Amino acid sequence: MLESSKDSAKLDAMKRIVGMIAKGKNASELFPAVVKNVASKNIEIKKLVYVYLMRYAEEQQDLALLSISTFQRALKDPNQLIRASALRVLSSIRVPIIVPIMMLAIKEASSDLSPYVRKNAAHAIQKLYSLDPEQKEMLIEVIEKLLKDRSTLVAGSVVMAFEEVCPDRIDLIHKNYRKLCNLLVDVEEWGQVVIIHMLTRYARTQFVSPWKDDEVMEEYSENNFYESDEDQKEKDRKVKNTYTMDPDHRLLLRNTKPLLQSRNAAVVMAVAQLYWHLAPKSEAGIVSKSLVRLLRSNREVQYIVLQNIATMSIQRKGMFEPYLKSFYVRSTDPTMIKTLKLEILTNLANEANISTLLREFQTYVKSQDKHFAAATIQAIGRCATNITEVTDTCLNGLVCLLSNRDEIVVAESVVVIKKLLQTQPAHHGEIIKHMSKLLDNITVPVARASILWLIGEYCERVPKIAPDVLRKTAKSFTNEDDLVKLQILNLGAKLYLTNSKQTKLLTQYVLNLGKYDQSYDIRDRARFIRQLIVPNEKSGALSKYAKKIFLAQKPAPLLESPFKDRDHFQLGTLSHTLNSRATGYLELSDWPEVAPDPSVRNVDIAESAKEWTGILGKTKKEKPTEKFYSESEEEEDESASTNTSESESSSESEKEDKEEGSSDESSGSSSSSEESSDSESDSKGSTAKKTSRAADESDSEDIKKKTKGISKKRSTSSSSDTDSTSSEESSSDSKSESDSKSDSESGKSRSATSSKKEEKPVQDRKAPNKQDVFLLDLDDFCPVTTPVAVPTAAVLSPSLTADLEGLSLSSSSVIDVTTQVSVPTKTHELLHRMSGKGLAAHYHFSRQPGIFGDRMVSVQVTVTNTTDQNIENIHIGEKKLPPGMRMHEFNPIECLEPAGSITVSMGIDFCDSTQTASFQLRTKDDNFNVNIQPSVGELLLPVTMSEKDFKKRQDVSSLVPGDALFSLQPKQIGMLTGMNETSATIAVAPQNSTRLVIIERVVKAANLGVVPSGQDNIHRFAAKTVHSGSLMLVTVELKESSTAQLIINTEKTVIGSVLLRELKPVLSQG
């Protein structure tokens, strides 16, 4: 096919080959045949050939070299995709001979008119540098050129090349710093992460520490009683003039703040570490809400985020104290997540919340995960040492755990009690006696050694018990672990020195046993102790001080967090995660004592404009500059620059309010958004400087007047705004600015049509709806639930519902997955106790979305032991699932006590079918075949939508361009076009005809969400299938003479008909 004369056959062959590569199959044998088509005139074939060559050029270098002339010709191709692909293939051939050719191609591509080609040139820089590091100087010239590029497509890639080739050349960033800050919101997510990390390092070298202000404030917080007024005024003046934040420093913080709302966890984490390392301590707290939001992500993301929160919570507890409940451990969390959450809870513990945390820890100790239970006991010990008020409470609780059946729990409790007793041993003689009684039952070496150490250390407080313990352990000496043997020797030595009458012979017996032990450590210890404590002719001077050596006062151990020393690594890096320096890690420098000259970041606007117009190949008429701000605002700004830091913060809030006014105007129409985005970006660059505040004049006089009107209105009220409200507004402003910028860059082709829209009346340009909901404005981070319980529906009258329906939060339609408030608890038998030899199991569908994955149905299984013996190792064995079906197993249950019961969660992807999931439920001794079969109603997730959207989705033919439905993704619109309708008329019992009963019965039978309805006789429900996300619309319309019409609209015809069959008896039965 590749050698065919027809392009259609070649194209089909290349599609198949690329498909093979995508599936991971080896297609390298076809390289000679594919290379022949590199000069094809068909653009589609050429694109696919380049995709293939990018994958295999490095492996088949000799054959790829034969086509270099073709790649060089392709670099001049009129199609930007071909030019970019040719450069990518050329840089993938790892042969030193073609380095000059690659260098020339990169230089030419860096001046290309297409930003996509320039982006690929930045990617090629890194490949060439790794192939030949000697080209560094020439590559730096290209990087310097690309750093001046104003395209958001290029910014992330060139900064990555800068970090790889010359991360120490900070001077290349100076002139581009403000531009990168302003472009940051519009760069792709990968580029945002790279730029933020680079700007974090840059800021630490160019600005002074914002944390000094806090230290000075603390220093001057206390006043002397006899201090004069002049001294007090002098101190106040020093405090006020100690620190003023550089405008460029503030620009970086302000422009990264909106990215805390990013959907990408890496971007949020990058902004969080930037605020942690650069922001004043009073402002760093805003990242906590965003980080807690990331805890809803998958376990890998949770692990990284929790590690960083653990480091933060050690130094600044106040940041995460409001979100304490977000760190409570769930039964479905893996052990690594549980341990990190436990670490954070321990760090956040204080006098106010310790009682709540100790109750939580009591539950964790009973966990089936023994390693987690042991970590909880260590956490209790840390809380006891850090908070003296609860030391006794914790100690008593740990003593109670000594009677636990689980050996690991008891052993860990002993070790922690030993450390706690060292802090105040005088009051706890009874505890030492109690622990000595447990010595016969405890077998864990560390625990036995800890008890023996305690008895030996405080043998004078238990003079009757200590010799008896030595007698017992002397009997079992030969069978003990080495750790325990060493402590027996120590115990004997201490008793010999304090109570030689009773223990002299016992100690000599133990020393003789140690003398012939297999371990040389124990033999050495025995000889050492004998020479030290038993006086003889050869004894040295040390034997006089034996008592002081053995019974010296020992310092209490410090129970510290394992994350204490990780803060010297930059947060969010691999080095921080591993707690060791990784290859390629760039150290974060200390703050400079004196800030370098800020003028190095000033850019001549005229020169940069000429350079940019030269790149575009267009000339732009210069426009007369006009003051963007009103006179009153300028006066306020001037006063702010000479006033205290407080007045400066208020002037910054004014700036942010003014920016909000301009962004409000920009959302009115597409043409105004383009113009306002230009003026906004210019004003951002100019306001960053202290001297110049001029901005380019807008193209439309109407827009200019409106902007001034808004800014004048806001200038009077903004000075009284608090810092917190201004920061919230700035985040929303930046978001709208980013939208307008992206529109202005990507929508230049629509300028003709947008100019027509400009003629519309000004009244049509409405400000954004103030009810817009952002991720960071949520009250708490619990799952958002839509009340579908019966009483809620009864409160709303039909007319009120119809009125409320119009109050949508945004212009576009909203379809959100929700969870039910009242989940039915209908259980099904999984395994009868007779069939399971005393093991019984029941299951029910919890109707919780996304616990194990987007496509899995959550199933809760309750396992009960009806026998009088322990059942061990209960887990899922062999699975017999239909094709496509997947199952997420529950964690194995190590041991289930008699009459005990435990509930575990599992997930099953039923692929939108009611097929049976068959698998084996195994114990240590037996296997049992069990089945789980869902009803159609359990394969759905409830969604929320307005009545208007519901009606539109019922009649898909009503879709027109500009409709709210076009806000959906293309995939969703494609699914809607294939909806089918299934209906049936049913006889409804009189007692079932009320709204409350209908909602209750339908929701109990199927996992549907209630849609508000403006008519009393029509009830609407909506859901989507768990696996495919297909929409399911259910309508119950009550007719006269006790009948009702049940209508189901869905793309899945089979599921719709089965659901109809299941709902009919639910509504008709009495």
Side-chain angles (χ1 to χ4, degrees), residues 166-179:
C166 52
D168 53 336
R169 288 289 303 274
I170 296 293
D171 57 295
L172 299 180
I173 305 298
H174 290 321
K175 299 288 184 186
N176 303 293
Y177 171 80
R178 293 169 187 163
K179 181 196 71 179

Side-chain angles (χ1 to χ4, degrees), residues 100-149:
I101 299 173
M102 287 172 63
M103 191 71 233
L104 187 63
I106 290 172
K107 282 185 176 180
E108 289 179 358
S110 65
S111 304
D112 198 281
L113 289 177
S114 167
Y116 181 67
V117 178
R118 300 199 297 274
K119 175 188 177 77
N120 280 279
H123 289 167
I125 288 172
Q126 302 167 57
K127 295 181 181 178
L128 180 55
Y129 179 71
S130 63
L131 180 63
D132 185 7
E134 293 179 3
Q135 303 291 325
K136 181 175 180 178
E137 292 304 319
M138 296 178 72
L139 291 174
I140 289 175
E141 293 176 12
V142 181
I143 290 173
E144 187 175 7
K145 182 179 181 180
L146 288 173
L147 278 171
K148 297 175 183 176
D149 202 308

Side-chain angles (χ1 to χ4, degrees), residues 622-685:
E622 291 186 4
K623 298 181 181 180
T625 57
E626 183 175 333
K627 299 290 183 184
F628 187 76
Y629 297 92
S630 62
E631 293 177 5
S632 61
E633 292 167 339
E634 288 176 3
E635 290 169 6
E636 288 174 12
D637 289 337
E638 289 171 8
S639 63
S641 62
T642 57
N643 234 335
T644 63
S645 59
E646 293 177 13
S647 62
E648 181 170 329
S649 65
S650 66
S651 67
E652 285 167 6
S653 67
E654 286 171 16
K655 291 179 191 174
E656 291 169 8
D657 285 346
K658 292 163 196 168
E659 289 177 10
E660 182 184 1
S662 59
S663 64
D664 287 350
E665 160 218 333
S666 70
S667 60
S669 65
S670 60
S671 64
S672 63
S673 70
E674 289 179 22
E675 294 161 2
S676 62
S677 64
D678 291 339
S679 63
E680 281 166 11
S681 60
D682 289 339
S683 66
K684 275 185 180 179

Side-chain angles (χ1 to χ4, degrees), residues 866-894:
T866 62
T867 67
D868 56 356
Q869 296 178 345
N870 288 348
I871 299 179
E872 298 179 353
N873 194 18
I874 304 171
H875 63 283
I876 290 178
E878 184 183 353
K879 291 174 281 193
K880 299 176 182 177
L881 305 176
M885 192 178 289
R886 296 180 298 119
M887 178 182 293
H888 186 286
E889 304 175 7
F890 59 80
N891 292 329
I893 303 168
E894 293 181 6

Side-chain angles (χ1 to χ4, degrees), residues 465-662:
I465 295 174
D468 200 45
V469 169
L470 181 61
R471 180 182 61 81
K472 285 185 177 180
T473 51
K475 288 182 182 178
S476 58
F477 184 87
T478 52
N479 300 323
E480 297 285 359
D481 188 87
D482 287 357
L483 192 64
V484 182
K485 288 178 181 178
L486 289 172
Q487 291 305 325
I488 294 173
L489 290 173
N490 285 348
L491 175 62
K494 290 172 183 176
L495 287 175
Y496 185 91
L497 294 170
T498 57
N499 188 4
S500 58
K501 287 183 182 180
Q502 284 184 292
T503 58
K504 184 176 181 180
L505 293 174
L506 262 177
T507 304
Q508 287 181 349
Y509 172 70
V510 170
L511 289 173
N512 287 332
L513 289 175
K515 184 178 179 181
Y516 301 105
D517 196 87
Q518 291 181 350
S519 171
Y520 57 81
D521 282 336
I522 294 164
R523 294 198 299 271
D524 288 349
R525 178 69 61 90
R527 293 191 188 98
F528 165 72
I529 290 174
R530 187 187 294 276
Q531 291 297 322
L532 196 60
I533 66 171
V534 181
N536 55 32
E537 297 171 359
K538 296 180 181 179
S539 295
L542 277 178
S543 58
K544 299 176 185 177
Y545 307 102
K547 194 166 186 178
K548 288 184 178 180
I549 292 171
F550 276 99
L551 299 174
Q553 195 70 29
K554 297 172 182 64
L558 292 174
L559 298 173
E560 293 180 338
S561 169
F563 287 84
K564 187 181 180 184
D565 299 325
R566 290 201 185 194
D567 55 351
H568 59 272
F569 291 115
Q570 186 177 351
L571 293 185
T573 59
L574 179 63
S575 299
H576 176 269
T577 303
L578 301 176
N579 198 22
S580 63
R581 190 184 182 90
T583 307
Y585 174 73
L586 298 171
E587 197 76 42
L588 207 60
S589 61
D590 295 328
W591 295 101
E593 290 296 325
V594 180
D597 183 15
S599 63
V600 295
R601 289 184 289 277
N602 294 344
V603 182
D604 189 353
I605 298 173
E607 284 183 12
S608 63
K610 286 177 185 176
E611 184 182 346
W612 180 233
T613 52
I615 293 173
L616 285 177
K618 297 178 182 178
T619 56
K620 199 172 185 179
K621 292 182 180 179
E622 291 186 4
K623 298 181 181 180
T625 57
E626 183 175 333
K627 299 290 183 184
F628 187 76
Y629 297 92
S630 62
E631 293 177 5
S632 61
E633 292 167 339
E634 288 176 3
E635 290 169 6
E636 288 174 12
D637 289 337
E638 289 171 8
S639 63
S641 62
T642 57
N643 234 335
T644 63
S645 59
E646 293 177 13
S647 62
E648 181 170 329
S649 65
S650 66
S651 67
E652 285 167 6
S653 67
E654 286 171 16
K655 291 179 191 174
E656 291 169 8
D657 285 346
K658 292 163 196 168
E659 289 177 10
E660 182 184 1
S662 59

Side-chain angles (χ1 to χ4, degrees), residues 28-88:
S28 58
E29 295 176 358
L30 301 169
F31 196 91
V34 173
V35 168
K36 292 177 183 177
N37 294 291
V38 75
S40 173
K41 294 181 180 179
N42 188 309
I43 292 178
E44 295 302 318
I45 295 174
K46 191 177 279 191
K47 285 180 188 175
L48 293 175
V49 169
Y50 280 140
V51 169
Y52 177 89
L53 292 178
M54 272 181 268
R55 171 65 181 80
Y56 290 109
E58 196 167 342
E59 296 177 16
Q60 304 277 349
Q61 293 176 355
D62 295 336
L63 289 172
L65 283 172
L66 299 175
S67 305
I68 280 190
S69 58
T70 310
F71 301 144
Q72 287 179 291
R73 283 198 302 273
L75 290 170
K76 308 289 185 184
D77 195 279
N79 189 319
Q80 60 172 351
L81 295 175
I82 299 298
R83 295 199 302 275
S85 298
L87 182 60
R88 288 166 72 182

